Amino acid sequence: MTDALKAPRAGAGGASVVLLCLLAGLLLTASWHLTQGTSGVGPADFLDALLGREQSHGATASTMEIITGSRIPRLAAGIAVGFARPEGGSAAAAG
């Protein structure tokens, strides 16, 4: 075997790091998006719901009802529209 076949590919580790950073950014953005809305449920309430604590907001519905009934479907619709666009949103970003 030649040395060229044995040598590891340059940039394979770098591509993995970039992919992990993009995934982390996507998860942070999605988490932030779930806390946005007009119902009075903010980031602290979202965290309390995930940890099973008692809710402290003034909304009439429970935090989990708001998240599962409104915010997760809105996030899923945004992701679906992003995937459905053939250019992936690049035309809107360009001008």
Side-chain angles (χ1 to χ4, degrees), residues 17-47:
V17 170
V18 169
L19 183 62
L20 286 175
C21 288
L22 288 172
L23 184 61
L26 178 66
L27 290 175
L28 284 171
T29 303
S31 298
W32 171 74
H33 180 77
L34 289 176
T35 65
Q36 304 301 304
T38 60
S39 64
V41 175
D45 300 311
F46 182 69
L47 183 62

Side-chain angles (χ1 to χ4, degrees), residues 6 9 13 15-16 19 26-27 32 34 36-37 40 44 47 49-50 55 58 62-63 66 71-73 84 92:
K6 292 180 185 177
R9 293 187 318 176
S16 297
L19 183 62
L26 178 66
L27 290 175
W32 171 74
L34 289 176
Q36 304 301 304
L47 183 62
L50 290 177
Q55 52 190 11
S62 75
T63 303
I66 293 168
R71 297 191 183 175
I72 289 177

Side-chain angles (χ1 to χ4, degrees), residues 45-70:
D45 300 311
F46 182 69
L47 183 62
D48 287 343
L50 290 177
L51 297 175
R53 298 180 189 156
E54 193 165 326
Q55 52 190 11
S56 60
H57 59 80
T60 56
S62 75
T63 303
M64 289 308 290
E65 288 173 341
I66 293 168
I67 292 170
T68 58
S70 172

